[in-house]
Amino acid sequence: FLSTSLSSLSCTYVNLYSTKMALKVLGIAGPKKAAKAAATAGKSPRFYPADDVKRPLPSRKSKKNAAKVRSSISAGTVLILLAGRFRGKRVVCLKALESGLLLVSGPYKINGVPLRRVHQAYVIATTTTVDVSAIDVSAIDDAYFARAASSGEEGEDEFFANDAAKPAVVSETRKADQKKVDAALLKAVEAVPMLKQYLNAKFSLSKGDKPHKMVF
């Protein structure tokens, strides 16, 4: 009787062990493991992901192709600004920068618009043009308008003590370049009758005006 009991117990143990080995999971092919296996050159992947492997979406941050400037905008075209602190002002386009932005000036002496960059989507191109071939703006590029790094971070006491906004500091180089460009631009503006008054006048719309039917 004892031998029969031992043999039956051993058979039960073998059956349980074989069942356990059959149910044992030897490995799961996760997304990372499957991707790593698929990347092996010359071999077919041994594991396939149970879920979709997430791939990074294509980004346009690395592609910095400059936008194409409209055919109605060229060097010397008078533009009307539609946004920003100088919206409604008329400016003269000096050239298109590598970034696709437009370099414009008021001139500053006429309407207070300094040398600045504007996006072509926020301007109206007019049919009025100025001869700017004698104006040298080759030294002015996108790096010219880069902001200078701050000297240091303010402490907690300085942060709460100075509530008023700090005025913008214009460097002497920018002032000298502005005078140089305006001197040549003013000569070109004065050569065209009534152009100085036209640049000084601010653009606005009245009730009943239809800008889509206007010819600028």
Side-chain angles (χ1 to χ4, degrees):
F1 176 77
L2 181 60
S3 61
T4 305
S5 301
L6 291 174
S7 61
S8 60
L9 288 173
S10 61
C11 292
T12 304
Y13 178 77
V14 171
N15 293 334
L16 290 174
Y17 183 78
S18 60
T19 304
K20 182 178 180 181
M21 290 297 295
L23 296 177
K24 183 178 180 180
V25 179
L26 298 178
I28 300 176
K32 294 183 179 180
K33 192 174 183 179
K36 184 178 180 180
T40 305
K43 295 183 180 179
S44 59
R46 296 176 55 190
F47 303 99
Y48 296 91
D51 300 326
D52 294 335
V53 179
K54 294 184 178 180
R55 296 181 179 179
L57 298 176
S59 176
R60 292 183 294 178
K61 293 182 179 180
S62 59
K63 299 179 181 179
K64 298 181 179 180
N65 299 327
K68 184 179 179 181
V69 181
R70 302 200 306 259
S71 59
S72 59
I73 301 176
S74 60
T77 304
V78 176
L79 309 175
I80 301 174
L81 302 181
L82 301 178
R85 57 178 297 196
F86 299 108
R87 58 183 177 272
K89 298 277 189 176
R90 292 179 172 90
V91 295
V92 179
C93 177
L94 300 177
K95 69 174 182 178
L97 301 173
E98 294 182 359
S99 61
L101 300 177
L102 306 175
L103 176 66
V104 300
S105 181
Y108 181 78
K109 192 174 182 180
I110 294 178
N111 53 24
V113 181
L115 285 168
R116 60 188 292 108
R117 297 177 297 176
V118 296
H119 197 283
Q120 60 177 335
Y122 302 105
V123 299
I124 296 176
T126 66
T127 56
T128 307
T129 58
V130 184
D131 184 12
V132 294
S133 58
I135 303 175
D136 183 17
V137 290
S138 58
I140 302 177
D141 52 4
D142 291 300
Y144 179 83
F145 296 94
R147 294 184 178 181
S150 58
S151 57
E153 296 183 358
E154 295 183 351
E156 184 177 355
D157 297 336
E158 292 80 1
F159 178 79
F160 289 103
N162 301 326
D163 294 335
K166 294 183 179 179
V169 179
V170 181
S171 63
E172 297 298 329
T173 305
R174 293 282 288 269
K175 292 180 181 180
D177 293 339
Q178 184 70 58
K179 291 180 180 179
K180 179 182 176 182
V181 173
D182 278 3
L185 186 56
L186 282 172
K187 292 181 180 179
V189 170
E190 292 174 353
V192 181
M194 300 296 295
L195 183 57
K196 186 175 182 179
Q197 292 80 356
Y198 176 71
L199 292 174
N200 192 27
K202 194 172 183 180
F203 172 77
S204 63
L205 293 174
S206 302
K207 185 177 181 181
D209 290 342
K210 299 178 180 179
H212 62 285
K213 293 185 177 181
M214 293 182 178
V215 179
F216 296 95

